[in-house]
Amino acid sequence: MSDGDTSEEIMGATYRALCAHGYADLTMQDIADESEKSKAALHYHYDSKHDLLCAFLDYLYDGFVERTSDVEGEAPHETLLALVDAVLDKPDDDSEEFGTAILEIRAQAPYEPRFRERLTRFDEYLADELTDILEAGVADGTFDPEMDPDDTARFLVTVLTGAATERVTAGQSVECTRRMLAEYVETHVLAADREVEA
């Protein structure tokens, strides 16, 4: 088995173990039980559960970038809403248990600098993608020239992160967020002479 296959298998086992046990009760043995690898083999690749979870966050980041980097539309507002949809749409293989486990890891970020660093990468990447789309829309006249792309991107990241949290903690659908963000784009982001086509 190649290093890439080994890493993929360990990441898959980590996903399954997090779904089954959550973050707080997760052990390296739990991950080994979901893998063809022994606990000793896991420790050969990762010194600790913390190191393995940091690698897992890197793995999730790569998947998030792959899932959201190819969105496109015929106009900047369509690309913007397509990116919002890509973020709000949960991957088919994500379970509610996994969402809960990731929220548990996020809750550790204030105390775990390496978790915080990796989770910040998600937000920074998304903010950069949104800013690029917003700046392109201002440049071609689609978006309000008085709109600040950086501030707007940060606001959108905050709303999208909040929607993900509400989905996990309260079982709230993201459809309201999707609808309200589309309305926000129409009323606060588009230039005065532009309209979102239904």
Side-chain angles (χ1 to χ4, degrees), residues 8-9 11-12 25 27 30 36 63 69 83 85 90 102 129-130 136-137 140 149 162 164 175 179 183 189-190:
E8 191 76 23
E9 196 220 330
M11 294 302 105
D25 296 327
T27 66
D30 294 330
E36 296 178 3
S69 61
L83 180 54
D85 284 342
K90 193 168 58 170
I102 290 300
E129 291 291 299
L130 290 165
D140 79 354
E175 294 314 308
R179 188 173 64 253
E183 185 175 320
V189 177
L190 283 178

Side-chain angles (χ1 to χ4, degrees), residues 2-165:
S2 70
D3 288 345
D5 290 340
T6 297
S7 176
E8 191 76 23
E9 196 220 330
I10 293 173
M11 294 302 105
T14 303
Y15 170 86
R16 293 187 294 275
L18 276 168
C19 289
H21 302 281
Y23 167 78
D25 296 327
L26 185 69
T27 66
M28 291 291 271
Q29 186 60 56
D30 294 330
I31 298 170
D33 289 344
E34 296 288 346
S35 168
E36 296 178 3
K37 303 292 181 187
S38 66
K39 181 180 174 183
L42 291 182
H43 277 292
Y44 173 79
H45 294 282
Y46 305 98
D47 290 337
S48 66
K49 179 180 88 167
H50 189 268
D51 287 338
L52 176 48
L53 289 176
C54 285
F56 185 64
L57 288 173
D58 290 338
Y59 171 79
L60 292 180
Y61 174 81
D62 291 342
F64 180 72
V65 170
E66 182 177 346
R67 184 163 59 88
T68 58
S69 61
D70 291 332
V71 298
E72 50 187 42
E74 293 184 7
H77 73 272
E78 293 177 357
T79 305
L80 179 61
L81 293 176
L83 180 54
V84 167
D85 284 342
V87 174
L88 289 175
D89 290 340
K90 193 168 58 170
D92 293 338
D93 57 354
D94 267 11
S95 69
E96 293 306 322
E97 292 81 8
F98 180 67
T100 300
I102 290 300
L103 190 60
E104 289 181 288
I105 292 176
R106 184 176 281 275
Q108 300 302 310
Y111 319 105
E112 295 285 355
R114 291 172 67 200
F115 286 175
R116 182 168 63 248
E117 174 188 333
R118 284 161 172 79
L119 291 167
T120 298
R121 284 178 69 204
F122 284 84
D123 292 348
E124 294 295 337
Y125 160 77
L126 183 54
D128 287 347
E129 291 291 299
L130 290 165
T131 299
D132 288 347
I133 296 169
L134 292 165
E135 287 178 342
V138 170
D140 79 354
T142 299
F143 295 150
D144 183 351
E146 300 300 315
M147 180 266 302
D148 185 304
D150 289 321
D151 287 349
T152 302
R154 288 290 172 191
F155 168 72
L156 292 173
V157 170
T158 300
V159 172
L160 292 167
T161 301
T165 300

Side-chain angles (χ1 to χ4, degrees), residues 161-188:
T161 301
T165 300
E166 284 290 295
R167 175 165 53 197
V168 173
T169 59
Q172 293 291 330
S173 168
V174 298
E175 294 314 308
C176 176
T177 302
R178 195 190 309 272
R179 188 173 64 253
M180 294 305 294
L181 283 180
E183 185 175 320
Y184 174 81
V185 169
E186 184 169 8
T187 57
H188 291 80

